[in-house]
Amino acid sequence: MQNLFKSFVQNFGIPRLIILGFFLLLCVMAIILDIDFSDLMSASLVRIGMNGILVLAILPSIVCGTGPNFGLSLGIICGLLGGLIAMELTLNGFTNFFAAIAFAIPFAVLVGYGYGLLLNKVKGSEMMFAIFVGWSIVSVMKIGWLLLPFNSPEMAWPIGRGVRVTIALLNREVSQLLNNFWAFNIGNVTIPTGLLLFFVLCCVLVWLFMRSKTGMAMYAAGDNPRFAEAAGIEVDKQRIIGTIVSTILGAIGILVYAQSFGFYQLYEGPFMMPFIAIAAILIGGASIKKASITNVIVGSFLFFGILVVSMPVANAFMADISSMAEITRQIIQNGIILYALMQAGKGDGA
Amino acid sequence: MAEEYLLQMEKICKSYFGTKVLTDVNLALKPGEIHAVVGENGAGKSTLMNILFGMPVIQSTGGCEGEILIEGNPVEIVSPLQAMDLGIGMVHQEFMLLPNYTITENIKLNREILNDNIISRIFGNNLKTLNYRAMNADARKALDSLDIGIEEFTKVAGLPVGYMQFAEIAREIDKSNIRMLVFDEPTAVLTESEASNLLDAMRKIAGRGIAILFITHRLDEVMEIADNITVLRDGRLVATKRKEDTDIFELAELMVGRKVEKLFDRTSQVKDEDIALKIDGLKVSMPGEVVKGLDLEVYRGEIFGIGGLAGQGKIGVANGVMGLYPCEGSVLINGQKLVLNNPRESMNRELAFLSEDRRGVGLLLDSAIEINIVVTSMQNKGRFLKKFGPLTQIDSPVVREHSLQLIKELDIRCTGPTQLVKRLSGGNQQKVCIARALTLNPEILFISEPTRGIDIGAKRLVLETLIRLNEELGMTIIMTSSELAELRSICDRIAIVSGGKVAGILKPDAPDLDFGLLMAGQIDRKGA
């Protein structure tokens, strides 16, 4: 019994136990403070579903050996671009949603390929490089959003050129599309069935991909590039494939996020998004060298669960500091990334 | 009587993690003497010097036993700084120079000649001005005493290695208290003319009364300049000889000599001289193990050994043929040309390779045993996959069955096929590598350093496995090893590689002397 407990602790990892404990503590406090718990549950489920695919997008980049994809903003921008094209064509509902994905994927493949080539030139310092690529592209696209020839009155500024900072999806019947699909209630808790199903579907597809010949090659290239070379695997190619898959998932992820949120957020929108996704997968037990689908799911659950619950709890304590929830999120998110980076060198070859 | 000696090391013993690497080694050195320490790789030469120089690695692994006397007074050397205070200098094999500093600056680093200035009078010594003129003069003097015409104000970066070595020596002899200099295989990286310059310089230094400890395995150099010679083998002192009393042949025999235990009773599998692998003019640019135009023929069904000292290129052969390091030349397998520099092609031609760097190249440490076993075959032969049109999925039941069978066959001690490889012992990791190679079902198996880092019991098992593969499956095995005894116990023929070429091919029961001479690079005398 004791051994069983020990091996569970070892497998689950102490950091995760601490965070799970923190999560449970928050839940208990929420109950004590008389905050409506079913509301919190509903909100958590939506958060997990809408962010899950962005977290999943980090997985291939870690597995193929380029480290957590801090440049996920590239994929996010491809997704937004696809979304805007679908808007411009005045498509509605599911047609709009899936057309947006279809338009985004070619961009994501191209961008991912180019980005992969760049990453192969900076082996060993991919993370630092990726952070700045991510930030740069956000700035470049600030110009891009102004210059791209989108004319639909839904998106354009009333005066001058370019598209607006936030674009509402309500009129195109995309808002809450997946969330409401087959949604049902258990007690007062709403289950966003479509949203969760789509997340699970993506997880299954990635899982199948990882078990294919290419997936195994990518895995070997990430685990030990020198082994992979010796096994006749082209490591650089596998890294590019991983980057492309990550970018595509980023594009799909932001479209799922946006339909739940109800808006496309351009300009500064994608700036910090990769950090949230990376924090979530790391909290789920991934390291910067190793990750699995389980890490994605556990991480999404813990990270977004904590965010949703901590917000009202923190507000109840410090009602006069209005941005407490945002501050809590930043502390947790960046603290987790720091912790994970500190763990990076450890455990290798032990 | 004792005062006559500058240095005496008595009954030095040292063990690393329970393995004895030095046992009762004695060494004595007089002022002005050139004393050579020779031995194979792993004989304990470097450990002995590390003890003398107080390197931290000795202290952190539990110190050593025995006594060190300097001019008859017992001392305990616990740090390199203390060794320097005692007048011991060391010329390292890898140069310890700052490339962007001039030769003078390197020589005088941390021993600068300083002048006072206004600021330093107020704020202290750390802000004194460097007296470049005096420093350059000192550096010039040190360089001149070595007969080196190089300018003292040139930067070290970009100097030929030979000059870097001299800069390092100049730094040591510039120290005013220097009484003893240790040269750790100084000629290993030098060309022939540079090496002979160095030997001249060593003679000059010795002429000034500085004692020299010269570690090497080049016997001709030893005979040229040493006064006394100490031979180490397997961490034991084999002999201390005066140069006049010995010759190169005796040294070679002493260096290698050990009774070859016939660990295994095997009869050669080679029926006729059917050539399985023919290598012509192979050049491999593998750092540290460069192969420079090597020719070799290996017969079908034999266990062929490749031996030689570290850095001579024996490791490069298999790595080159398998396409892991850039190479040129011609390699024929069964008479058909092999496309070089392409690992996939090598594997498709039924070659397999177990790398000497097991943890670095040979294994996916963070992955399950079964993944390690099948991944190479999966990627190169498309095995262990279910196909759905263009899509593929790993065939888990088949992978599991195959791994379980190999785990049983090779007796890999593990908790199951999903255990992570990094949790296995060295011997079992090596067996996982063998399982991976077997899964490829090769005709020719290259295996490098098969028993490195493996305890003695497991060593025997690994070697037995190799013999079984050879005898039962008729696999041609090319084994590269630093341990001559191991090669001699299982190989049919052994090629000794020296200077990137085959120095000679010997039968395992050839006399020790022949092996010793070939390893020491005495090709001319022996005639390969």
Side-chain angles (χ1 to χ4, degrees):
Chain A
M1 185 62 209
Q2 212 175 7
N3 277 339
L4 210 71
F5 178 71
K6 232 182 195 169
S7 78
F8 169 77
V9 170
Q10 243 173 25
N11 283 333
F12 201 63
I14 288 170
R16 254 158 306 300
L17 281 180
I18 295 173
I19 294 187
L20 188 65
F22 181 58
F23 181 50
L24 294 177
L25 181 78
L26 283 172
C27 290
V28 170
M29 284 180 21
I31 294 170
I32 294 172
L33 291 166
D34 207 17
I35 297 165
D36 187 349
F37 204 67
S38 49
D39 269 6
L40 288 183
M41 284 293 286
S42 307
S44 299
L45 288 176
V46 169
R47 282 279 185 163
I48 292 167
M50 70 194 265
N51 285 288
I53 297 169
L54 287 171
V55 180
L56 184 66
I58 304 298
L59 179 75
S61 71
I62 294 181
V63 170
C64 78
T66 59
N69 189 0
F70 282 96
L72 192 64
S73 326
L74 289 169
I76 293 175
I77 284 168
C78 292
L80 292 172
L81 216 51
L84 293 196
I85 295 174
M87 291 284 269
E88 181 78 14
L89 298 176
T90 60
L91 302 173
N92 285 327
F94 273 111
T95 322
N96 179 305
F97 180 68
F98 287 110
I101 290 179
F103 291 134
I105 286 177
F107 287 117
V109 171
L110 275 178
V111 169
Y113 179 75
Y115 178 44
L117 285 180
L118 286 179
L119 283 177
N120 282 341
K121 291 203 195 310
V122 293
K123 276 185 194 160
S125 50
E126 291 97 342
M127 278 192 282
M128 179 78 79
F129 179 78
I131 289 174
F132 287 97
V133 166
W135 284 346
S136 314
I137 198 71
V138 169
S139 299
V140 169
M141 280 311 288
K142 282 182 191 165
I143 301 173
W145 300 127
L146 289 174
L147 296 182
L148 287 172
F150 290 113
N151 298 316
S152 154
E154 281 171 288
M155 302 191 288
W157 289 111
I159 325 165
R161 302 189 58 166
V163 285
R164 273 176 258 167
V165 176
T166 49
I167 294 165
L169 295 170
L170 194 60
N171 297 337
R172 297 258 75 87
E173 294 159 30
V174 177
S175 184
Q176 303 281 311
L177 188 67
L178 289 175
N179 299 39
N180 295 333
F181 185 74
W182 288 354
F184 61 93
N185 282 9
I186 301 178
N188 288 329
V189 180
T190 310
I191 310 290
T193 318
L195 186 65
L196 293 181
L197 273 183
F198 196 79
F199 174 42
V200 171
L201 175 74
C202 287
C203 286
V204 170
L205 286 178
V206 171
W207 184 74
L208 288 174
F209 171 69
M210 291 308 300
R211 290 169 57 82
S212 70
K213 186 182 172 195
T214 312
M216 290 300 296
M218 209 171 96
Y219 174 82
D223 188 341
N224 184 347
R226 293 175 64 205
F227 176 96
E229 290 288 357
I233 297 168
E234 293 170 68
V235 174
D236 284 3
K237 188 174 136 198
Q238 299 307 326
R239 287 163 56 102
I240 290 176
I241 293 175
T243 312
I244 291 176
V245 174
S246 174
T247 310
I248 293 174
L249 285 169
I252 299 175
I254 192 64
L255 291 169
V256 173
Y257 179 93
Q259 66 78 32
S260 176
F261 190 60
F263 299 94
Y264 289 135
Q265 294 172 290
L266 309 179
Y267 301 90
E268 290 283 346
F271 197 66
M272 290 304 286
M273 277 191 153
F275 290 79
I276 297 174
I278 288 165
I281 196 169
L282 294 176
I283 213 180
S287 71
I288 58 168
K289 281 198 69 186
K290 214 177 175 203
S292 67
I293 300 277
T294 320
N295 299 145
V296 172
I297 296 171
V298 171
S300 303
F301 174 75
L302 283 178
F303 187 76
F304 296 106
I306 286 179
L307 285 193
V308 169
V309 181
S310 67
M311 199 177 315
V313 172
N315 283 345
F317 275 110
M318 283 172 266
D320 41 345
I321 306 174
S322 56
S323 60
M324 197 56 211
E326 173 63 12
I327 295 170
T328 319
R329 184 185 67 76
Q330 297 247 353
I331 292 173
I332 295 174
Q333 169 191 318
N334 293 317
I336 290 162
I337 294 178
L338 278 180
Y339 178 79
L341 292 179
M342 267 158 52
Q343 295 296 312
K346 290 187 198 162
D348 285 0
Chain B
M1 182 67 198
E3 270 83 274
E4 190 191 330
Y5 290 106
L6 175 61
L7 167 81
Q8 287 165 285
M9 298 177 88
E10 281 175 4
K11 289 202 180 304
I12 302 288
C13 299
K14 167 73 192 157
S15 42
Y16 282 119
F17 311 108
T19 321
K20 276 225 154 170
V21 293
L22 282 179
T23 316
D24 290 340
V25 175
N26 299 319
L27 191 71
L29 195 61
K30 289 178 195 163
E33 172 186 348
I34 299 182
H35 193 118
V37 180
V38 297
E40 273 188 287
N41 304 116
K45 294 171 296 186
S46 298
T47 308
L48 190 64
M49 291 312 118
N50 285 342
I51 290 172
L52 178 62
F53 207 58
M55 293 304 255
V57 61
I58 301 295
Q59 294 303 319
S60 65
T61 52
C64 65
E65 294 164 46
E67 210 174 356
I68 301 176
L69 303 166
I70 301 256
E71 292 183 334
N73 305 313
V75 289
E76 201 179 335
I77 304 176
V78 293
S79 74
L81 209 62
Q82 194 190 349
M84 284 183 232
D85 285 342
L86 289 167
I88 304 171
M90 186 133 175
V91 178
H92 298 272
Q93 203 173 352
E94 305 90 34
F95 306 124
M96 307 226 174
L97 297 168
L98 297 172
N100 283 319
Y101 279 29
T102 66
I103 292 180
T104 301
E105 284 162 341
N106 267 294
I107 289 176
K108 284 292 184 184
L109 187 66
N110 217 16
R111 295 182 298 111
E112 293 88 351
I113 301 170
L114 301 171
N115 280 350
D116 278 323
N117 59 32
I118 299 174
I119 299 174
S120 74
R121 280 179 214 284
I122 304 170
F123 293 103
N125 285 340
N126 282 343
L127 288 172
K128 279 184 177 171
T129 318
L130 299 182
N131 183 345
Y132 270 101
R133 188 174 300 184
M135 279 163 53
N136 281 336
D138 270 12
R140 187 71 260 158
K141 207 171 98 199
L143 290 169
D144 282 342
S145 70
L146 295 170
D147 264 351
I148 297 302
I150 187 168
E151 308 287 359
E152 64 275 14
F153 41 79
T154 31
K155 279 193 179 168
V156 167
L159 282 181
V161 272
Y163 284 135
M164 288 197 200
Q165 181 106 53
F166 280 113
E168 185 134 318
I169 297 169
R171 184 184 63 203
E172 296 305 322
I173 62 175
D174 181 58
K175 293 175 184 167
S176 50
N177 69 342
I178 195 88
R179 287 186 289 183
M180 184 191 335
L181 256 182
V182 180
F183 286 79
D184 190 2
E185 303 202 9
T187 53
V189 291
L190 301 186
T191 65
E192 222 157 277
S193 63
E194 284 170 339
S196 88
N197 277 346
L198 178 74
L199 296 184
D200 288 342
M202 284 167 74
R203 265 192 216 103
K204 273 193 207 104
I205 296 165
R208 289 167 47 183
I210 297 172
I212 288 180
L213 263 179
F214 179 35
I215 301 173
T216 186
H217 48 244
R218 290 199 186 168
L219 296 180
D220 45 351
E221 288 168 3
V222 171
M223 292 310 290
E224 198 181 326
I225 71 162
D227 302 313
N228 291 301
I229 298 144
T230 293
V231 184
L232 293 182
R233 188 205 311 150
D234 296 338
R236 284 169 193 279
L237 182 74
V238 183
T240 301
K241 299 256 172 191
R242 284 158 52 82
K243 179 172 76 177
E244 295 77 34
D245 301 342
T246 188
D247 58 32
I248 211 162
F249 300 100
E250 189 189 1
L251 287 177
E253 201 165 354
L254 285 170
M255 197 165 103
V256 176
R258 74 191 70 169
K259 57 178 195 312
V260 176
E261 296 166 57
K262 251 310 188 195
L263 273 172
F264 308 99
D265 212 20
R266 62 182 293 272
T267 45
S268 174
Q269 293 293 300
V270 191
K271 307 272 174 342
D272 44 15
E273 304 207 331
D274 178 10
I275 295 172
L277 174 78
K278 184 171 161 60
I279 298 175
D280 271 315
L282 183 74
K283 291 181 185 168
V284 185
S285 30
M286 177 176 181
E289 289 279 351
V290 182
V291 180
K292 303 165 183 162
L294 172 136
D295 307 320
L296 205 59
E297 283 177 1
V298 179
Y299 306 134
R300 189 175 317 289
E302 77 175 333
I303 300 184
F304 188 85
I306 301 179
L309 295 166
Q312 298 295 321
K314 66 173 186 302
I315 300 285
V317 180
N319 279 293
V321 173
M322 292 307 292
L324 301 190
Y325 284 91
C327 68
E328 52 187 286
S330 136
V331 176
L332 300 179
I333 295 166
N334 302 327
Q336 307 253 313
K337 207 163 170 57
L338 172 78
V339 179
L340 295 174
N341 300 317
N342 183 345
R344 193 172 277 251
E345 163 77 8
S346 301
M347 266 171 285
N348 288 339
R349 297 292 296 276
E350 314 300 338
L351 305 182
F353 177 44
L354 271 70
S355 171
E356 67 287 347
D357 186 0
R358 200 182 317 133
R359 297 171 73 91
V361 179
L363 292 167
L364 294 170
L365 285 170
D366 272 326
S367 305
I369 294 173
E370 57 182 10
I371 300 290
N372 271 278
I373 292 178
V374 301
V375 71
T376 315
S377 303
M378 182 193 291
Q379 295 301 328
N380 291 288
K381 314 233 154 138
R383 289 172 62 201
F384 305 106
L385 287 170
K386 281 185 283 195
K387 293 199 172 65
F388 304 94
L391 305 175
T392 51
Q393 278 291 291
I394 181 168
D395 194 343
S396 300
V398 176
V399 169
R400 181 61 51 87
E401 194 189 328
H402 178 80
S403 338
L404 282 173
Q405 192 199 333
L406 277 172
I407 286 173
K408 195 162 152 248
E409 225 169 80
L410 297 176
D411 190 24
I412 301 172
R413 304 285 162 84
C414 58
T415 57
T418 53
Q419 195 180 12
L420 296 187
V421 168
K422 69 175 172 192
R423 308 232 185 279
L424 298 177
S425 71
N428 284 312
Q429 287 181 344
Q430 185 64 280
K431 287 186 203 162
V432 173
C433 292
I434 294 178
R436 178 170 51 79
L438 285 188
T439 306
L440 279 169
N441 198 15
E443 281 177 27
I444 302 176
L445 175 67
F446 286 94
I447 179 162
S448 293
E449 306 288 3
T451 63
R452 180 187 280 175
I454 292 180
D455 59 75
I456 292 181
K459 263 185 193 178
R460 200 186 155 84
L461 282 174
V462 168
L463 294 179
E464 270 171 7
T465 310
L466 290 181
I467 293 181
R468 233 181 58 219
L469 295 179
N470 176 257
E471 287 176 356
E472 287 171 15
L473 304 175
M475 205 178 278
T476 309
I477 296 178
I478 299 174
M479 170 165 136
T480 310
S481 175
S482 304
E483 289 192 35
L484 194 53
E486 178 178 296
L487 291 173
R488 291 172 83 176
S489 68
I490 77 163
C491 292
D492 297 312
R493 293 186 303 149
I494 299 162
I496 299 295
V497 175
S498 175
K501 293 184 176 160
V502 173
I505 295 179
L506 296 167
K507 288 275 175 196
D509 48 8
D512 295 343
L513 170 63
D514 294 356
F515 279 103
L517 286 176
L518 287 181
M519 288 174 88
Q522 302 294 321
I523 311 177
D524 309 337
R525 275 165 232 227
K526 183 72 188 98

